[in-house]
Amino acid sequence: MFFLYIFIKDITPLYINKLKKITVLNFLIMIEDKGVIEEIHVALDILNSKNYNDKRNEKLLKSFKFIFNESLDLICISDAENNLKVLNTAFSKVLGYSKKELLHNSLSKIVHPEDINLTNTAFQKLNSGKLSIHFENRCLKKAGGIINVQWWAKKDISTGVNYLIGRNITKFKKTQTKLKNSEDLLNDAQKIAKIGCWEFNIETQKLNWSKELYSIFEIDLNEKNLYDEYVSKFEKEDFENLQNKIVHLITTKESYEIEHKIILPNNRFKWVFGTGIPVLNSDGNVYKIKGIAQDITEKKQISETLKAKEQAEIASKAKTEFIANMSHEIRTPLNGIIGFTELLIKTKLDKTQQEYTNTISKSAIILMDLINDVLDFSKIESGKLELNIEEIDVFEHLHQVIDLFKYQAIQKNIELVLKIGKNIPQFIFADGVRLKQIIVNLLSNAIKFTDSGSVVLNISLLESKNNLVKLQFSVKDTGIGIKENNHHKIFNSFVQEDNSTTRKYGGTGLGLPISNQLLGLMNSKLQLLSKNGDGSNFYFDVEFKKGITKNSPIRDISNIQNEENSLFNIDHYVVNILIVEDNKINMLLAKTLVKKIIPNCNIIEAFDGRQAVKKFLNEKIDLILMDIHMPIKNGYEATTEIRKFNTSKRIPIIALTAGVFNGEKEKCSASGMNDFLSKPIMKKDLENILLKWLK
């Protein structure tokens, strides 16, 4: 089409006067390179004019005819009713029709049905006096298929005919659609990633933003003073930092990164990460800066949360380690206090001495209970406490708990009652230690806060189905009760109902929270019914698996609790026991207890793990009592080394440790130990261990 324009431009000055006298057709031709519309007058009947013999005209007309027929655009002439009168080769070739099929037919024959109204509207504008029009529609190909055509049309008012040039823009449309889809995807990606892009022209000071950037900075799309509005979002220090980075970029041609806050209405803010890269001109100087800005508020919050979580975990670990270490350090001297007090009580004492030693024993036990509460709380809080499910005699456990509080109840003149409902299975699968701990906590509180009346421990059957049973445990008292607004408060850690309660009754405020957390491991929780001055009822429901052992008569537990030393019938040979203990008091206690249990024994002493290994190699040993935390070489290391010798396989090694955290038993077993005994060591527990491994 560009060549056609040049051709006509060249001949027009030469024949302008002649062309005024002849019939002309008006063609509307788009000159693509210049983006303008040229109205060109060409005489189709010039071949019949008096200038026909003019060789120059003949040459020019032949050239025009060639261009007309060889043009890739669709060129046609239609009458006032839009019937096709003249069309070029491309017109029929592109649409697949012969010229005969198209000539004298309406243009609407090739127009897509959905675009006929659009096409008619365009020609109405042309008929209404508009000199030229352009429009787009879809045309139908004979073989099927559709092409998109961009039309330019001109009406010759004198003749009423229309001159049209159509360009096949199907590929352009597809490309345009792809670009639009790509643009939409880019916009969506920016929106999802909360990333906006920008461009700043240093020379013109023009700032261009993507749509998402307006959203990030919460600036109206029609904002005229974009730069000023953008600057207003910065804190002074951050904007100065950005300016310095831009100056550095222009100077060094190096990109930059920045992370900063933006200030928003209603005391809000966002965190934004930005980066800028230089764009150089032909002289190698920076004339533009392009970059992105990303809303990283959520990432920042997550990062800060993770950082806080990590710090909390570090603090929790440090606290757990501190509590474990303190427990060990406190239990070590307590082991001596409780152990020797137990031995002292069984000696011949006068009434006053007996009273003093009983007081020492009770105080030590209270202190041990306090340590156990703190340890249990710490273990539960750190997720290191797990239930040990095994078959237990629930009747025996309940009687044991009641027996623990009989003396206190008698001292306060309180009636202590155990009620076991009908159809309660005697054997269930549960963690007997933890179940007993919960009930002990509840009974301890009930007796503590009851000055008269009764405390009732009741167990009732709620549901029995197949091999499962749901039981309710209840501890009801006639004590001081709890104010209704304090019901939730007492379940918080280290908290009691009020300060007066703490001053009068003492305690850590951990019993109920620990019980509730233990019940949480059993998929249950404590419930409370209480009124101030009218007693309290703490209860909980737990589902257990029924035991497989048949019900049997309840044993007389009091006889078991009160029985004196069991006799070791090992008189036929001397037992050699190696005691490994770095604390002299605990060494003396262990020796004393062992001698009490097995009078006819030979005790070998070692004060650290290295000595223990040497003693093992040089002495005949039948059993080893191994402390864990020792200098030079600890109990784990010493046991591991001893187990390397074949002669050690028959020798039981029993751990003596003040450590009580999960994993302690497993570590002992992994190092080669056979059993585990926690400090403070009670004579009965030590006797059972020795009986187990020496009989």
Side-chain angles (χ1 to χ4, degrees), residues 341-349 354 564-565 683:
T341 303
E342 183 186 13
L343 293 173
L344 185 60
I345 288 173
K346 293 178 180 179
T347 62
K348 293 180 180 180
L349 302 172
Q354 189 76 38
E564 285 298 324
N565 299 343
K683 179 173 175 288

Side-chain angles (χ1 to χ4, degrees), residues 57 83 201 245 266 284 306 318 344 395 454 558 568 577 684:
N57 277 350
N83 294 315
N201 191 310
K245 287 181 177 292
N266 302 321
L306 291 174
L344 185 60
F395 293 174
S454 64
S558 60
F568 258 81
I577 297 177
K684 186 64 180 176

Side-chain angles (χ1 to χ4, degrees), residues 8-19:
I8 297 300
K9 189 181 75 168
D10 287 343
I11 68 168
T12 301
L14 298 175
Y15 299 100
I16 189 68
N17 292 326
K18 295 178 182 179
L19 292 174

Side-chain angles (χ1 to χ4, degrees), residues 216-385:
I216 291 172
F217 282 84
E218 298 188 15
I219 297 176
D220 190 272
L221 286 168
N222 299 316
E223 176 61 51
K224 293 182 179 180
N225 300 316
L226 177 58
Y227 182 76
D228 293 338
E229 186 66 22
Y230 165 67
V231 172
S232 70
K233 304 289 184 181
F234 279 79
E235 291 181 335
K236 183 179 178 182
E237 185 178 343
D238 287 333
F239 186 68
E240 289 176 353
N241 185 24
L242 176 62
Q243 286 182 312
N244 292 335
K245 287 181 177 292
I246 291 174
V247 171
H248 183 76
L249 178 146
I250 295 172
T251 305
T252 64
K253 303 179 180 63
E254 295 177 355
S255 60
Y256 71 82
E257 292 181 353
I258 186 172
E259 188 177 290
H260 62 88
K261 279 184 180 179
I262 56 174
I263 311 303
L264 301 171
N266 302 321
N267 296 320
R268 295 181 301 114
F269 68 89
K270 288 181 182 177
W271 280 98
V272 175
F273 171 77
T275 184
I277 59 172
V279 180
L280 308 181
N281 58 19
S282 57
D283 296 327
N285 297 319
V286 179
Y287 81 103
K288 277 185 183 180
I289 304 174
K290 291 183 177 181
I292 60 99
Q294 182 179 19
D295 180 356
I296 59 168
T297 306
E298 289 183 10
K299 292 181 181 178
K300 195 79 172 176
Q301 290 171 344
I302 292 171
S303 176
E304 289 174 354
T305 301
L306 291 174
K307 187 176 180 181
K309 182 176 179 289
E310 183 180 347
Q311 290 175 341
E313 287 174 349
I314 292 172
S316 178
K317 184 179 179 182
K319 181 187 74 174
T320 301
E321 290 175 353
F322 171 77
I323 291 174
N325 290 332
M326 287 304 298
S327 165
H328 179 267
E329 295 304 317
I330 295 172
R331 279 172 177 270
T332 298
L334 265 179
N335 183 49
I337 294 171
I338 293 175
F340 280 112
T341 303
E342 183 186 13
L343 293 173
L344 185 60
I345 288 173
K346 293 178 180 179
T347 62
K348 293 180 180 180
L349 302 172
D350 61 31
K351 186 177 180 180
T352 302
Q353 291 171 332
Q354 189 76 38
E355 184 180 344
Y356 289 168
T357 52
N358 284 336
T359 302
I360 294 170
S361 179
K362 288 178 183 178
S363 298
I365 290 170
I366 290 170
L367 181 56
M368 183 57 64
D369 289 340
L370 173 61
I371 294 169
N372 288 338
D373 278 350
V374 174
L375 280 170
D376 281 344
F377 179 76
S378 180
K379 284 190 283 185
I380 295 170
E381 193 179 50
S382 62
K384 293 184 177 180
L385 189 145

Side-chain angles (χ1 to χ4, degrees), residues 449-491:
F449 298 114
T450 302
D451 293 324
S452 64
S454 64
V455 173
V456 179
L457 170 59
N458 183 55
I459 176 172
S460 56
L461 177 66
L462 296 181
E463 184 180 339
S464 180
K465 187 177 181 181
N466 298 328
N467 65 334
L468 297 177
V469 61
K470 192 171 188 179
L471 304 179
Q472 183 175 94
F473 297 83
S474 167
V475 175
K476 189 174 183 179
D477 65 64
T478 57
I480 61 175
I482 301 167
K483 295 175 183 177
E484 191 171 346
N485 61 344
N486 287 331
H487 281 196
H488 69 284
K489 183 179 178 182
I490 60 172
F491 292 107

Side-chain angles (χ1 to χ4, degrees), residues 1 31 70 100 103 177 198 213 235 305 325 351 359 404-405 419 436 466 484 562 587 615 660 693 695:
M1 297 308 298
I31 306 305
E70 297 300 323
K100 185 177 180 181
L103 288 173
T177 301
W198 54 268
L213 209 55
E235 291 181 335
T305 301
N325 290 332
K351 186 177 180 180
T359 302
L404 288 174
F405 294 97
K419 291 183 178 180
K436 199 156 60 172
N466 298 328
E484 191 171 346
N562 296 327
M587 173 64 84
K615 296 283 185 181
V660 292
W693 293 102
K695 280 277 187 173

Side-chain angles (χ1 to χ4, degrees), residues 395-406:
F395 293 174
E396 183 174 335
H397 275 64
L398 293 173
H399 278 84
Q400 286 175 355
V401 172
I402 289 294
D403 286 344
L404 288 174
F405 294 97
K406 276 183 179 179

